[in-house]
Amino acid sequence: MIDFPLSDMVTEVVQSFRSRAQLEEKELLSSVEPMITLCGDENSLRKLVSILLDNAVKYAKDNGTISVSLQKKGRLIQFAVENDVDSIDPDMLRSEEHTS
């Protein structure tokens, strides 16, 4: 566990997904508050952010939008990844739960 610049890490991961989103004709928006730091396992959190973005791009509808936000609210940090999706088949969710 170390202090690391969470804002910078999230920005880097978002940047790494920009070209993929563009190739798939999806818009990737981000709103990252600068200078947020966190004490934690940077590598594990980087993997988590990557997985969330990968899924958001993969499952966003055609010409959809993916939004990433990071902000500090008092003593809390709020991180969100959202995408446009028509619907997700519940059977698909169940099958992925068993394969993960």
Side-chain angles (χ1 to χ4, degrees):
M1 302 291 222
I2 59 166
D3 283 332
F4 69 95
L6 181 62
S7 297
D8 293 347
M9 183 272 287
V10 169
T11 299
E12 288 171 16
V13 175
V14 169
Q15 286 299 110
S16 73
F17 278 86
R18 285 206 187 278
S19 60
R20 178 175 159 205
Q22 189 174 21
L23 280 172
E24 295 186 24
E25 298 180 356
K26 298 172 184 177
E27 185 176 18
L28 178 54
L29 306 174
S30 65
S31 175
V32 177
E33 185 178 320
M35 307 297 292
I36 296 176
T37 59
L38 181 71
C39 182
D41 183 343
E42 181 178 1
N43 289 330
S44 293
L45 288 170
R46 183 178 295 270
K47 286 178 188 175
L48 175 62
V49 172
S50 293
I51 289 167
L52 292 171
L53 272 166
D54 181 61
N55 285 335
V57 172
K58 185 186 302 182
Y59 296 111
K61 67 182 181 180
D62 294 341
N63 298 307
T65 301
I66 299 102
S67 300
V68 178
S69 65
L70 177 71
Q71 59 187 342
K72 193 157 186 171
K73 292 190 170 196
R75 295 179 56 208
L76 301 176
I77 297 171
Q78 182 179 25
F79 173 71
V81 178
E82 302 174 43
N83 66 341
D84 295 337
V85 63
D86 291 326
S87 67
I88 298 177
D89 180 5
D91 291 332
M92 187 174 158
L93 292 174
R94 279 189 222 101
S95 67
E96 287 193 11
E97 287 174 358
H98 297 295
T99 60
S100 298

